[in-house]
Amino acid sequence: MKIQQLRYIVEIVNQNLNVTEAANALYTSQPGISKQVRLLEDELGLEIFERNGKHIKAITPAGNKIVAIARELLVKTQAIKSVANEYTQPNHGVLRIATTNTQARYMLPGVIERFSKQYPDVSLHVHQGSPNQLYDALLSGEVDLAITTEAQYLFDDVVLLPCYMWNRSIVVNPGHPLAKCKNLTIEELGKYPLVTYTFGFTGVSDLDYAFSSAGILPNIVFTATDADVIKTYVRLGLGVGIIASMAHTPEDTDLVKIDASHLFKSSMTQIAFKHSTFLRNYMYDFINYFSPHLTRTLVEKAEKRRDKTAVQKLFDGLELEQK
């Protein structure tokens, strides 16, 4: 059994069982991958994948278990390299982060600027996506850290570190009837077409809860993953925008911002990483730059606690900053 064979079967799963795409991702040949997978199956005495002729159509039950273990082994293999690099090249390396557009656009620039000045020889890569995509990227080892604000139930099997709380604001054109509203209610908001985030981004489920609790079916006419796109369509008069409060900036002088924190439950932004990840010194620093209360000592304590409830107890009584 070879590490490369394990890398092949994991990448095939990552690429939705498409061997050609797996070969492209790994810069190798499709016949070479197919041959090595067959050799591994012969060695194990079972099939990892179900096939229809030469094409893979599914993963076997045993294959699911093997791929899960292979993922962990690949992460630990990378951890061995990271340990060595920590001693031989402590300020050199790569940091890969997955997050949503709102975090990348409004919360990360200052953190990345500070980090880049401190670690100019660390290559930083930011991937943007949906909560499911963030989780998949983290689980597959494509990224080291995921900054998530929604669908946190997906992240039960990783370390989750609470960063800060945030809520929403309404944005409208100056001539809109709500622009002069002093005490906005969910009933008043429900009278107008709404422009907001795609489901699964930045707490859309909390919006659903607020409206359903009031017995109102919201008229959502447009959704997007990008707050800037939402603001663009509000400017075009498509509807009333509901965005993360942090996404309204001083440059948005043509939009009236109305606080909606009394209408919706606050949401929490968290940083996630796999238990088997070896965190380099610069990774601890990045986490601390993003959320100052997350000291290295606290992160290390959380990392050692496998149970999610035990991790949460570390942060009991901690007042998270509101953004």
Side-chain angles (χ1 to χ4, degrees):
M1 185 183 306
K2 302 174 182 177
I3 291 293
Q4 193 69 5
Q5 291 172 327
L6 301 182
R7 186 170 289 111
Y8 287 162
I9 63 172
V10 167
E11 192 58 38
I12 289 172
V13 174
N14 290 346
Q15 299 297 333
N16 298 314
L17 306 182
N18 189 315
V19 180
T20 300
E21 291 299 322
N24 291 337
L26 295 173
Y27 302 100
T28 187
S29 68
Q30 182 268 330
I33 286 186
S34 297
K35 178 182 177 181
Q36 289 301 319
V37 172
R38 284 292 193 184
L39 288 173
L40 178 59
E41 290 176 323
D42 290 343
E43 180 182 348
L44 297 175
L46 54 77
E47 288 190 337
I48 297 172
F49 300 107
E50 294 180 16
R51 294 171 175 82
N52 183 6
K54 293 183 178 181
H55 299 286
I56 292 176
K57 66 175 185 178
I59 185 170
T60 65
N64 270 316
K65 296 179 179 179
I66 291 169
V67 169
I69 295 171
R71 288 189 190 278
E72 293 299 319
L73 289 174
L74 291 175
V75 171
K76 290 179 178 180
T77 300
Q78 183 59 46
I80 292 172
K81 295 178 181 178
S82 295
V83 170
N85 290 335
E86 189 66 24
Y87 287 91
T88 59
Q89 295 180 307
N91 294 325
H92 291 70
V94 177
L95 177 55
R96 303 162 302 167
I97 300 163
T99 190
T100 61
N101 174 274
T102 298
Q103 297 296 316
R105 169 70 175 82
Y106 298 103
M107 297 306 298
L108 281 179
V111 176
I112 290 175
E113 181 181 22
R114 180 182 178 187
F115 181 85
S116 297
K117 288 179 179 178
Q118 182 67 31
Y119 295 101
D121 295 318
V122 173
S123 179
L124 189 59
H125 303 274
V126 178
H127 305 252
Q128 297 178 46
S130 68
N132 279 298
Q133 290 169 332
L134 305 188
Y135 175 75
D136 289 343
L138 187 65
L139 190 67
S140 68
E142 183 181 348
V143 299
D144 307 298
L145 305 173
I147 301 174
T148 176
T149 58
E150 179 61 55
Q152 290 166 358
Y153 62 88
L154 290 172
F155 296 83
D156 280 345
D157 53 350
V158 300
V159 181
L160 272 175
L161 307 172
C163 298
Y164 60 84
M165 304 298 294
W166 59 273
N167 213 305
R168 298 149 192 81
S169 290
I170 307 303
V171 289
V172 294
N173 289 314
H176 194 278
L178 289 182
K180 296 181 180 179
C181 183
K182 298 299 182 183
N183 298 298
L184 182 64
T185 64
I186 200 74
E187 290 78 11
E188 186 68 19
L189 184 60
K191 295 177 181 178
Y192 300 96
L194 304 177
V195 182
T196 189
Y197 295 104
T198 302
F199 181 81
F201 278 77
T202 57
V204 171
S205 55
D206 292 334
L207 303 189
D208 292 340
Y209 176 81
F211 281 107
S212 62
S213 296
I216 297 172
L217 181 64
N219 178 22
I220 299 177
V221 296
F222 183 85
T223 63
T225 61
D226 185 335
D228 290 333
V229 173
I230 293 172
K231 289 186 289 186
T232 294
Y233 282 91
V234 170
R235 291 183 175 104
L236 292 175
L238 192 64
V240 173
I242 306 177
I243 60 174
S245 295
M246 68 188 80
H248 185 274
T249 68
E251 289 75 29
D252 296 319
T253 55
D254 58 335
L255 292 177
V256 176
K257 175 184 176 182
I258 306 167
D259 178 52
S261 59
H262 60 294
L263 301 181
F264 307 111
K265 294 190 300 182
S266 292
S267 297
M268 183 192 298
T269 292
Q270 301 189 74
I271 288 183
F273 62 89
K274 296 180 69 175
H275 282 282
S276 51
T277 301
F278 175 78
L279 296 180
R280 301 281 301 272
N281 284 331
Y282 59 74
M283 294 180 183
Y284 283 109
D285 279 348
F286 181 90
I287 292 172
N288 183 247
Y289 294 168
F290 186 76
S291 190
H293 67 267
L294 293 176
T295 62
R296 178 166 183 155
T297 300
L298 193 56
V299 173
E300 287 177 339
K301 286 181 180 179
E303 186 181 6
K304 292 175 182 176
R305 301 190 181 191
R306 291 279 174 170
D307 182 71
K308 187 177 180 181
T309 302
V311 173
Q312 289 176 336
K313 286 182 179 179
L314 279 175
F315 303 99
D316 283 349
L318 178 68
E319 280 198 33
L320 296 181
E321 184 180 358
Q322 291 282 337
K323 300 286 188 179

